[in-house]
Amino acid sequence: MRIRRKVLGALGSAALALTSFGVVTVSASPAAADPCGFYETSSDAYYQHCTSDGSRVVIQVRVALAPDYERCVAPGTTWLGSADKIQGAHYVGRTC
């Protein structure tokens, strides 16, 4: 994390210096949008169903120290639970 901040700080300083000379404009982009499929934050687990057709799909959710289960998810982001308990999730190949 510390290295990333130093790199971003250095890039920002370089961009400011170059911009003042009219050479180039560089801006830091905001955090990337939530990825499609399973992802975690520091505390929560999510499944992002990316579609433009409005379909609902079945995913299998892997749970630590408990049985895995299937769940029907709509387009967009679905909260699955605590990142400590959810180990992953994947599309099982069918709609619901």
Side-chain angles (χ1 to χ4, degrees):
M1 197 72 144
R2 178 187 279 176
I3 293 171
R4 183 176 177 194
R5 287 184 188 145
K6 286 183 179 180
V7 169
L8 290 176
L11 288 173
S13 298
L16 182 61
L18 292 173
T19 301
S20 66
F21 291 114
V23 176
V24 67
T25 301
V26 177
S27 62
S29 63
D34 298 335
C36 296
F38 176 78
Y39 69 95
E40 294 178 322
T41 65
S42 60
S43 59
D44 296 297
Y46 298 91
Y47 188 88
Q48 171 83 352
H49 174 40
C50 300
T51 185
S52 59
D53 67 5
S55 63
R56 298 170 62 94
V57 297
V58 178
I59 62 170
Q60 181 175 13
V61 181
R62 291 179 307 159
V63 185
L65 304 174
D68 295 347
Y69 63 91
E70 289 187 349
R71 181 170 181 176
C72 180
V73 296
T77 302
T78 300
W79 181 75
L80 300 176
S82 167
D84 292 338
K85 295 181 180 175
I86 305 300
Q87 296 180 323
H90 66 274
Y91 171 58
V92 298
R94 66 183 193 271
T95 58
C96 50

